[in-house]
Structures are given as C-alpha cells and as structure tokens.
Amino acid sequence: MGLTTFLYSVYLLAPIALLLVGSFGATWTNTLLPTGFTFDWYATVAEDPSFRRAFLTSLEVVAATCVINVLLGVPFAYAVFSAANRGVRLAARIFTLLPVAVPELVLGFGFIIVFSSDVLPWLGSTWLLICAHCVLTLPYLVGTLLTDMDRLGISEMEKVAETLSAGFWRRFIDIVLPSIRYSLLSGLMMVSAISIGEFQISNLISGFLSRTYPVVLLQAFYGATGLACAATVILIVLALLAAGGGAFGARLTRMRQKVRV
Amino acid sequence: MIRFDNVAYRYGDGEGGISNVNLRVEKGELLAVIGPSGSGKSTLLKLLAGFMEPQSGSIWIDGKDVSGVAARHRDLGIVFQSYALFPHMTVLENVAYPLRLRGVDRAERAERAIKALGEVGLSSAADRLPATLSGGQQQRVALARALVYQPKALLLDEPLSALDASLRTEMRDLITHVQRTAQIATIHVTHDQEEALSMADRIAVVHRGEILQVASPKDLYDKPFNATVAAFVGKANLWVGDVVSSACVRTEFGDITCDASDWVAGDRVNVMVRPEAIIPLTGDQNPKHAANCFDGTLVQDRFLGAVRRYDLSIAGSVITGETGDRGSLSRISIPSDSVRLLPLQDD
C-alpha cells in the first residue's frame, strides 16, 4: 500500500517537479536534466505582450465565471432542491449534467456554428468565452450545492424557520445561504480551477485578442523548452492560487462569523 | 386550544393519510398521538403546522379557523426529531432568532433567549455552536427556541427518538415540566407508547388514518377500545372467545370466568388480559379462591431484570405472563377482574 502510494506520488509529481527544474534551466536539449541556471524564461514570459494579455484575460474570465456561477448556480440549485416534484428534480439534475457528458469538442463546435453567423456574430468575444466557461463549470457548482443541501438537512431547517415565522427571503438569507457558504466556496474553487485550465473550448472560440492563458501557452510549446516550462509553472501557480484563495476565503468567513442576537 | 373538525387528507397514491379526524387539545394539555409508522400521525402534525392543507374539514387554533393560513402565520412552536438547529448560529442566536423575526429589540431578545435557555437548564451554553453540544442538549435548545416567543401551541414530532434510552427518560421529565410551566396546548407525536403513557394527559391512538381512541393513559391501558389499541398500548394477551353466559367466556384453552354482562351468549369476542395480571402458581401454592387456573408447559422464559416474561403453552394456546417470581412455572391463574372482553376484530 505504502509503496503504491509512493510510486503514484512520484508518477504524479515528477512531471511537475521537472517543469519547475526546467523553467530555471538555461538549456535543455537531449539531456536528462537541464544545464545552467537562469530566471530569463520567467522574464521573457512576463515581458511577452501576448502572455500578459492572456494572463489578464484568464483572470477576467475566471472572475466573471465565478460571479455568474454564484448568480445563476445558487438560485438554480435551490430551486431544484426545493422542487416538490421528483420528476422535476431528476430532469434538472440530468439537464445540468449534460455539459459534462457532452465532449467539449462537440460543445465548442456548437458554439462556432451558432455564433459565427451574421445573425449572432459574437465568436471571438471575451464574454462569449465567459458564457462557454459558465456552461462548462455550472454543473460542478450546482452538483456540489445540491449534494450539500441534501446532506445539511436544509429542508428541515427551513421548515423550522418557517414555523418560527420566517418568510421566503428571510429563510434564504438567514438559513440557506449561511448553511451552504462553505459548500459554495469549495464549489467555486473547483469552478476556478476548471476555468483556469480550460483549453479545448477556449482554443476553439476565443478570438486573437481574447485568448486565455492555456491557449497562448500552447504556442510556447513550439519554442524553447525553458520558456514552455516557465509558462506552464505560472499556470500551475495560478491554479494553486485559486484553490488557496478559496480556502482562505472559507477561513475568513468562519473567523468573521459575528455573534448576532 | 387546538381543534380538528372532521379533518381528512389522503395522499395521491391512496396509501396513507388521515380521515374523519376529530380532536381537541385544551390549553395547558399535553396530548400524545401514537400509532405505528404510516398510521397518519405525522400527517396530522403536518396539517396542523400548515405544511399541508386538509382536503376536507377544518383545523382551529385559539378559536380561529386556520384553513389557508401559511405555516409562518400560525404561531406554533415545533420541535423536530432531528432538532434542526441552525448550525451557523450560536445557541443564543438560535433561540433568539424567532424574536428577531418578530422585531423584538436586541436587548430584550437577548434577555428573553437567556431566560428560555435557563428554563431548559442550558444558560451556560449560550455562546456555543450547536455542533459542540450533545444530542440531549441540542434537543433542549430546540425546545427553548420553540417556546421563547410564547406560541399558541407546541408540536413535538418524535422529539426523543434520536436520544439514548437513559437520556430519554430525563428529557421526558424536562419536556413535561417546561410544558406545564408554560401552560401551553401541546401535541406530541410519537411511536413510543411508554413515552406517551408517562408524559401525556391524554393519548390519541391512530391506526390506518383514523383515531381509534382518545383517553387518559390509565383508561387507555385498562380499558382499550379494541384489540388493536390493546396490542399497541402495552403488552396484551388476546384470545378469541365465545360468550357462554354473563359470567363466562369460552376460549380455545378453556372457560374463563369473568364479567360478560355487556355481552349476549353466543357473541364472539377478543379476550384481553395484561401479562402482569396473570398470577403464577408456583410449587404447591394452589389457593382455593384462585380463579381460572390453567396448567401448561413453559415454552419461553425471558429474564428481563426486574421481571421475568414467560410464555406458557396451554392446549395449543400461548399465555404470556410477567412475574418477579423466579421459581418453576407450570400453573397460572387469571383473576376474573383482569379480563376484558373486546369486540372481535378480523385483523
């Protein structure tokens, strides 16, 4: 068991470790490890206008995706959860899972067909990219929320709150939202991580000026190994920051929980 | 005061629900509703709470027909089996929440919440989160929260089912104490007949959606309306018998002398005798005045601590008795005044 874990960890972490090593290597061709030490690759990435733009686009897309996910996902999950009809609940669950089940390539092609026409000529715009990311990530957030709403016994708490004379909005604000806040944060971490690393659809539908970081990163693979490594390490750090940010947010929420009487 | 007038509610699939329910709970009274699962007792509670509307009949709270009144406007306090405390609020915030909804100012609601917590013996836990409390403590918080705004009635939905046996007894006493102090009409739904017998002023037995009997615990136990009630409330021997005369009934294992003056010879009845009423005649003990003596073979002997529950096979019938006596057993006596004749039920 221990050996399996060790071997699996090596298998998992070795490529990341090699990327890190490679990003500081001056040259790396046909050798096991790179030779020389340099920060130049990071400087190159930082100075490259297309990388800089893509980096900002990615942050913009992730932030907007998260906001839209909250605005759409929370009410949607709550509506599905509260639906009295079992058939409605099942249909809603299947519907939200569709984007996960359909290959991204198919989804991307659909976007190209619909939005490259003269009627809807929005292919290449950042907001269409955001929409696509929302379609891809929303099922994960809704799924997380629905599972936790079941697990937390929200319906019974709501019933009690109702008998204590709380109306719909009071229950939603006082009971439902605070109960699902950790669930929401962990869901958003997943949403951010997926959105940051998303390549397939972004590659198909982003315009030249709205390319996300992973799309531009692909170009780096055709250049120097060190540059590709450095650019990839930045993506990893970005993804880790999103995850860490989520965890920090959760901690903050817990700490700031005021005593309200 | 709570009143059910001919209330009926049937679920879509035809299974379950209640029909023709008439009930009355006076101010300060604790009415327990007992019945097996699926009997309709939870439906009764949901209708009263306002989570569902009766298909016919009406429900009255404090002299007002509450048909069409939303649950949040019925002014009832409910305690659920799962406690349903709000996990993100402290104990004090939980108890003060209904007061906050009613616009009570901060100082007053803190004061009233602390007082309510004091009544359930939990003042010291005011600043703790529900997750850090034991099941019994959480149940106390739920009780304080349901009573802090002085609702018109208190509804208890299997409030003790999730607790340990030892804690349950303690909580029974606490609930009855708090309920009596508050002088509030209370409906306590439970499947635990012992809980109902020990806590309630009156008990309603629900079976297949209908109320079979409403009576005080003692009356319900001693004078059950029929065999179903007798079997559900406490343990009971139930045999089929034929009335022979106004003082005798014939069972499969022999004639039993008892008061059958309410019946006519030839009537088929259920003969009920509580196990603890049966007197074992051990050793050479065979008093002449002992009525209805029968000899049998011991087929089951269960030692339960304070008592011993035994099954005696007599001419193919089984008689269950309870005794503190630990001696050998083969002969019993059924005192005539412990025999009750009930209308025969096919099922």
Side-chain angles (χ1 to χ4, degrees):
Chain A
M1 188 66 196
L3 183 70
T4 319
T5 313
F6 174 73
L7 287 176
Y8 182 70
S9 305
V10 169
Y11 173 71
L12 199 70
L13 296 174
I16 297 175
L18 280 177
L19 277 176
L20 205 61
V21 172
S23 69
F24 293 108
T27 52
W28 194 4
T29 34
N30 289 328
T31 48
L32 186 63
L33 288 170
T35 49
F37 180 84
T38 179
F39 287 113
D40 285 356
W41 302 122
Y42 285 100
T44 312
V45 174
E47 281 159 15
D48 186 313
S50 62
F51 268 119
R52 290 169 75 115
R53 173 182 279 277
F55 188 82
L56 290 175
T57 306
S58 269
L59 289 185
E60 197 183 325
V61 170
V62 169
T65 304
C66 283
V67 171
I68 295 173
N69 257 284
V70 172
L71 294 179
L72 291 182
V74 173
F76 183 73
Y78 183 55
V80 172
F81 177 75
S82 314
N85 190 319
R86 266 189 212 164
V88 172
R89 296 186 64 163
L90 184 70
R93 278 177 197 247
I94 292 172
F95 189 69
T96 49
L97 281 176
L98 269 182
V100 182
V102 174
E104 284 189 32
L105 198 64
V106 175
L107 219 58
F109 188 52
F111 266 84
I112 291 175
I113 289 176
V114 174
F115 295 106
S116 59
S117 64
D118 286 343
V119 188
L120 305 165
W122 300 318
L123 202 67
S125 63
T126 309
W127 71 263
L128 189 69
L129 196 61
I130 293 168
C131 285
H133 277 226
C134 286
V135 169
L136 281 181
T137 52
L138 199 61
Y140 294 97
L141 184 72
V142 171
T144 311
L145 290 177
L146 278 177
T147 313
D148 281 354
M149 282 176 175
D150 270 334
R151 190 177 54 81
L152 293 167
I154 298 255
S155 53
E156 195 120 282
M157 278 194 264
E158 269 207 280
K159 262 188 193 164
V160 166
E162 198 182 344
T163 63
L164 299 175
S165 99
F168 174 82
W169 287 108
R170 277 258 69 89
R171 297 202 300 271
F172 189 68
I173 291 163
D174 290 345
I175 312 300
V176 180
L177 280 185
S179 300
I180 59 167
R181 63 194 191 280
Y182 298 129
S183 168
L184 184 62
L185 275 166
S186 69
L188 285 180
M189 276 163 61
M190 202 180 346
V191 166
S192 310
I194 294 170
S195 177
I196 286 171
E198 207 292 320
F199 172 75
Q200 282 198 54
I201 283 206
S202 306
N203 190 37
L204 287 171
I205 68 167
S206 60
F208 185 73
L209 293 178
S210 70
R211 288 181 301 170
T212 57
Y213 195 83
V215 176
V216 175
L217 179 62
L218 181 68
Q219 314 299 322
F221 292 169
Y222 302 114
T225 315
L227 181 71
C229 288
T232 312
V233 167
I234 289 171
L235 183 66
I236 293 171
V237 171
L238 208 59
L240 286 178
L241 276 180
F248 183 65
R251 202 177 161 72
L252 262 189
T253 323
R254 219 171 296 155
M255 278 162 54
R256 284 192 184 163
Q257 196 183 324
K258 287 182 294 190
V259 177
R260 277 171 306 144
V261 180
Chain B
M1 195 265 286
I2 302 166
R3 203 175 88 216
F4 281 71
D5 272 351
N6 278 315
V7 174
Y9 185 96
R10 285 273 146 201
Y11 291 97
D13 53 7
E15 292 286 314
I18 54 168
S19 43
N20 302 321
V21 166
N22 288 292
L23 258 186
R24 220 182 141 91
V25 189
E26 300 297 337
K27 187 173 162 40
E29 186 186 27
L30 196 158
L31 177 94
V33 178
I34 60 171
S37 43
S39 59
K41 52 189 193 302
S42 293
T43 309
L44 207 79
L45 203 81
K46 284 179 192 159
L47 290 168
L48 177 58
F51 298 138
M52 300 189 311
E53 282 293 324
Q55 286 156 352
S56 64
S58 53
I59 297 171
W60 299 69
I61 299 172
D62 268 3
K64 275 186 201 148
D65 182 356
V66 292
S67 307
V69 177
R72 67 195 186 95
H73 293 131
R74 292 199 179 189
D75 206 18
L76 302 169
I78 303 191
V79 177
F80 286 100
Q81 182 183 345
S82 65
Y83 324 129
L85 297 180
F86 309 132
H88 56 285
M89 297 186 191
T90 63
V91 166
L92 189 65
E93 286 165 355
N94 261 284
V95 178
Y97 184 66
L99 299 175
R100 185 150 74 95
L101 292 171
R102 281 163 177 76
V104 176
D105 70 65
R106 182 178 286 259
E108 190 189 333
R109 62 186 190 234
E111 188 189 324
R112 281 171 66 181
I114 286 170
K115 186 166 168 266
L117 281 172
E119 277 159 16
V120 295
L122 263 187
S123 333
S124 57
D127 293 328
R128 288 167 66 181
L129 284 172
T132 65
L133 302 179
S134 71
Q137 288 173 320
Q138 291 191 34
Q139 195 59 281
R140 284 162 193 250
V141 178
L143 189 64
R145 183 179 62 183
L147 284 171
V148 70
Y149 52 99
Q150 293 163 335
K152 288 175 182 154
L154 179 65
L155 315 187
L156 307 169
D157 185 8
E158 306 259 5
L160 307 179
S161 304
L163 300 178
D164 293 341
S166 56
L167 202 58
R168 238 180 276 168
T169 326
E170 191 187 320
M171 281 300 289
R172 280 179 199 166
D173 295 344
L174 178 85
I175 291 177
T176 38
H177 171 72
V178 171
Q179 186 265 339
R180 294 216 167 110
T181 314
Q183 273 299 297
I184 185 171
T186 303
I187 289 194
H188 177 180
V189 167
T190 177
H191 66 271
D192 184 340
Q193 33 125 341
E194 192 185 303
E195 192 176 300
L197 289 170
S198 66
M199 293 172 70
D201 296 311
R202 283 189 308 146
I203 299 174
V205 182
V206 188
H207 185 68
R208 293 186 184 163
E210 290 188 33
I211 293 187
L212 297 182
Q213 188 173 8
V214 185
S216 71
K218 285 191 187 76
D219 278 352
L220 198 70
Y221 190 79
D222 294 338
K223 301 170 199 161
F225 164 73
N226 63 14
T228 309
V229 177
F232 191 72
V233 181
K235 300 218 172 296
N237 288 292
L238 287 161
W239 309 292
V240 175
D242 295 299
V243 177
V244 179
S245 69
S246 65
C248 180
V249 64
R250 179 160 297 149
T251 68
E252 280 181 2
F253 57 89
D255 287 357
I256 295 178
T257 313
C258 62
D259 176 15
S261 53
D262 292 340
W263 303 84
V264 180
D267 279 351
R268 292 216 94 188
V269 291
N270 275 130
V271 182
M272 183 202 91
V273 180
R274 295 286 183 195
E276 69 275 15
I278 291 171
I279 302 167
L281 303 173
T282 49
D284 53 0
Q285 187 188 357
N286 194 2
K288 280 186 185 144
H289 61 268
N292 307 317
C293 293
F294 297 98
D295 289 300
T297 328
L298 196 65
V299 284
Q300 276 285 354
D301 199 357
R302 313 166 193 90
F303 177 65
L304 305 175
V307 293
R308 157 191 186 193
R309 185 177 301 142
Y310 57 88
D311 290 347
L312 210 62
S313 172
I314 301 169
S317 292
V318 172
I319 295 179
T320 302
E322 277 177 10
T323 177
D325 197 319
R326 296 186 182 182
S328 65
L329 240 164
S330 63
R331 189 170 169 77
I332 51 110
S333 156
I334 303 175
S336 297
D337 57 3
S338 70
V339 180
R340 271 201 81 77
L341 304 185
L342 307 170
L344 183 73
Q345 280 182 296
D346 294 331
D347 50 354

